[in-house]
Each structure stands twice: as structure tokens, then as C-alpha cells.
Amino acid sequence: MKNRKPGIFLWIFGGVLLGLSIIGVIAYFAVASNTEVKYNSILIISIIGVLISFVFLIVGYILSFLPDKEAKQRIALYSSYPVKNIEDYKKELESVRGNFNADKNPEKNQIAAFNFINSRQCYDFSVINKGKIYYAYLVRAFPPFYSYNNFARLTLPAVIVYSTEEYFESNPMALKAIAKKFLDSSNTNVLRDDSNFFTNLKLPVNLTDGREVYATTVMAYRMHLPLYYFSDSLFPIIADPNNSPSAFIVDFKYWTENQVGNFSHGVAQNAEEKIGEEESGGIFDV
């Protein structure tokens, strides 16, 4: 994936130029109405500036927002992966753990720290090498994360539920019902403020059938998702709630082929078990 900084710079430059050009047009008419001297050159330069700024903005949009060749190839590749009924979720998870642990790069799975206010607790990278991989289910994400329509290297907060109990290794779809209950419960007040980056909030047992389940904010990195967005809601994360406040989505390069295929086609989101077809609407996605 090519770096999108040139597009961002063109957007900034185009925006500044457009603003200055508009000021120039306003200044021309203000001066022309109060003096007999006509500053036609100001008007001409300002109009040219407006036209050039639109060119910069259009090119910046293309470079920043539209999929480049590499992104299109990646999307086409993983969209073509077959959907398979996973018979043994635990076996799939163990494969992810094996793939992840086999990579000895100490900087694996890290993301660029984006300095949201009050988000420091979400960036404890020590958990990547000390934590364990579990299944998680998405509760909420920002709208750009529901389609490929923004920067491929974008990192934004999302809310998930997960559990360290072995039960969920074989029954991860049970997290879907818990996510729905969490969303519908009175505890959803923690979801009403987008700047409320809570971590490892233990859910009440009445929402979890007596099991230990956490809700937490993760910083989601587009590059770690097969199609760059949440095409599905069930995925592996790495966490250690007893020793670290942070959790991170496992880079999809460590996932199994079945997981990548199912995630790319939204299998878990479309599953009717536990929740049925009821939808929450808005920017919530369970």
C-alpha cells in the first residue's frame, strides 16, 4: 500500500490556496467598489487560484481516498477467498496463535500511535509480546470503518467484547449475543461518548450468562483487516486483561485462510444464531 501523505499534502495546499483565492475575490470587489482604480489583476489571479486549488483538491482526493492498484489487488484477492463453515473454532484459533508466535519480530502487529485525548491506555504495546490471542466481537466502530472509503492507514477507536474463558475458543459466536445485550443494556452509557476510551470493563454476569467477558476500546488499524474495513465482526485479538489495559486486533496475515474468507464475506455478521435479524442501526454494528 503506497503512502497517502502526498494526497494529504495536496488537500491541505489546495484548501489553503482556495481560501486565499476566495479572500482575493472578496478583496477585489471591496476595493473596486470604493475606488476608481480597477485592480483587475487581483481578480484574474484569484480566479486562477480557485481553479488551481480545485485541481489540487481533486488530485488529493484521488490519492488519499480511492483504492490504488495495490489496494484493488488485495481487495480482489481476499474477496475471492471461499466461505467455509468452520467446524472447529478452537483449532482455527490455535493456528492463529501458532502463526503469531512463530514471528519473532519484536515490532510485529504494532500500529502508529494516534494521540486521541485520553487514549494513552490503549497503546500498551507490551501486550503484543506478553498477551494471548482470543476471539472478539465488534460492538461499535466509526462509520469510515464499515467500507473502504478512507485512508488505508487510518487508525480509529472501536469497541469490542471478548473473553479469556476457554469456552469462547470453541463458541466465539456466543459473543455476538453478549455484544447485543451490552448494547441494549443500561451500561451503554459508556458508549455514548466517543472520547470515552474505556478498557477491559468487566461486564455484569446477567449479560454474559455468568461468564467473564470484557468490553474494551481497541485502536483499529485498517491495514490489519483483509479488506481494510470491518467487513465482519468476529476476529482474533491479543490481550492480557490482568496485566495490560490494551488489546489489539491481530494482523490478518496471521489468520487462517478460513478466517480471512469468512471475514471478507461477513459470515459472522449475517449469522442468525443468538440474535436473529434485529439490527441496532446508527453507527453500532452487532
Side-chain angles (χ1 to χ4, degrees), residues 32-106:
S33 62
N34 293 294
T35 179
E36 295 180 356
V37 180
K38 303 298 182 181
Y39 295 93
N40 293 331
S41 58
I42 295 179
L43 180 62
I44 294 173
I45 293 174
S46 298
I47 292 175
I48 293 175
V50 170
L51 296 175
I52 294 176
S53 66
F54 277 118
V55 172
F56 281 120
L57 290 172
I58 292 172
V59 175
Y61 174 84
I62 293 173
L63 292 178
S64 298
F65 290 90
L66 299 183
D68 57 29
K69 182 178 180 180
E70 182 182 343
K72 291 178 180 178
Q73 291 175 342
R74 172 166 150 180
I75 291 171
L77 173 62
Y78 296 121
S79 294
S80 68
Y81 272 35
V83 173
K84 293 185 178 180
N85 182 35
I86 297 179
E87 299 290 343
D88 191 339
Y89 279 100
K90 185 173 183 177
K91 182 178 179 181
E92 298 283 330
L93 188 64
E94 290 292 352
S95 294
V96 177
R97 289 169 174 166
N99 296 337
F100 191 87
N101 293 332
D103 185 352
K104 302 303 180 182
N105 184 349

Side-chain angles (χ1 to χ4, degrees), residues 250-262:
V250 175
D251 189 339
F252 82 97
K253 70 180 181 180
Y254 303 110
W255 301 9
T256 67
E257 183 174 318
N258 289 342
Q259 289 173 328
V260 172
N262 285 10

Side-chain angles (χ1 to χ4, degrees), residues 188-203:
T188 53
N189 60 343
V190 300
L191 300 175
R192 299 189 186 283
D193 182 358
D194 290 334
S195 64
N196 180 23
F197 301 128
F198 60 90
T199 58
N200 293 331
L201 173 68
K202 189 177 293 187
L203 297 184

Side-chain angles (χ1 to χ4, degrees), residues 232-266:
D232 204 359
S233 296
L234 183 69
F235 45 83
I237 56 121
I238 186 163
D240 184 4
N242 292 325
N243 298 296
S244 172
S246 299
F248 294 95
I249 297 173
V250 175
D251 189 339
F252 82 97
K253 70 180 181 180
Y254 303 110
W255 301 9
T256 67
E257 183 174 318
N258 289 342
Q259 289 173 328
V260 172
N262 285 10
F263 188 89
S264 297
H265 292 281

Side-chain angles (χ1 to χ4, degrees), residues 112-133:
F114 196 102
N115 294 319
F116 289 100
I117 298 175
N118 301 323
S119 67
R120 181 176 297 179
Q121 70 270 28
C122 299
Y123 290 103
D124 176 19
F125 293 118
S126 68
V127 72
I128 293 175
N129 291 299
K130 297 179 180 179
K132 189 174 181 180
I133 293 175

